[in-house]
Amino acid sequence: MELITNTQFIRQAALRGGPIRAGEKVIEYPDLDYIAVEDDACWLCGGHTKGLGISTKKGIKDTFTDQDLAKNMTSSSLCQGCAFCLGQRSLRNYSLLATKDKLQHPGRSEFRNILLNPPEPPFLFAIAVSGQRILGRILSSTNYLI
Ligand SMILES: [Zn+2]
């Protein structure tokens, strides 16, 4: 069993599942190019980097307003999960459901059924309220053992 963070779980789900339907759109989430990073822990989620990610200088823009959610201020590295989630606008703007097998962007009516009949754990979901800024809520919730 391995402890991974929410952003790492979302990245794994997105890379396993292929293109994702979001309303009328079909969204693809290609993985990013990562580099070797020095820090063992991610600046944002605090999860293990396993030596790969991107620098905070590259991944955290001046407009990023959730800096108070950073779990490891001494790090200057982002793990692959955080780099992936920060680099994908659609992940921030659409509601999402991540399971071990895939990522989905359910609509509001679909979420009703998901909440009444949740998938087998582990899973993670985030419901967009205003169509944006759900990443902060994802980061502030708990980590997963998978
Ligand atoms: Zn991270």
Side-chain angles (χ1 to χ4, degrees):
M1 212 176 269
E2 178 188 9
L3 179 66
I4 65 170
T5 65
N6 295 337
T7 56
Q8 294 167 347
F9 187 74
I10 291 169
R11 175 178 169 266
Q12 287 181 0
L15 296 179
R16 284 191 183 124
I20 300 162
R21 183 164 294 284
E24 300 294 313
K25 286 185 173 179
V26 175
I27 301 170
E28 294 194 43
Y29 290 112
D31 207 3
L32 307 179
D33 291 326
Y34 304 103
I35 61 168
V37 294
E38 294 179 7
D39 301 291
D40 290 331
C42 173
W43 176 83
L44 190 53
C45 72
H48 294 291
T49 64
K50 297 182 179 176
L52 281 177
I54 63 173
S55 68
T56 52
K57 195 171 185 177
K58 183 176 179 194
I60 302 296
K61 300 192 170 30
D62 292 339
T63 55
F64 184 76
T65 57
D66 287 329
Q67 297 199 17
D68 59 313
L69 297 175
K71 301 272 196 311
N72 186 351
M73 297 297 279
T74 62
S75 175
S76 60
S77 305
L78 294 174
C79 71
Q80 294 174 71
C82 287
F84 182 84
C85 290
L86 289 169
Q88 311 280 354
R89 179 184 267 288
S90 297
L91 281 179
R92 300 193 309 263
N93 293 344
Y94 289 103
S95 296
L96 62 87
L97 171 66
T99 62
K100 285 182 88 168
D101 302 324
K102 63 183 177 181
L103 178 71
Q104 301 172 64
H105 290 303
R108 284 183 174 267
S109 61
E110 293 169 280
F111 252 115
R112 179 176 178 268
N113 291 330
I114 291 166
L115 293 172
L116 293 172
N117 300 299
E120 285 294 312
F123 65 89
L124 177 154
F125 68 84
I127 300 174
V129 174
S130 61
Q132 57 183 316
R133 299 202 48 166
I134 61 171
L135 186 58
R137 293 181 203 284
I138 291 169
L139 287 169
S140 63
S141 55
T142 58
N143 295 334
Y144 289 82
L145 287 169
I146 63 169

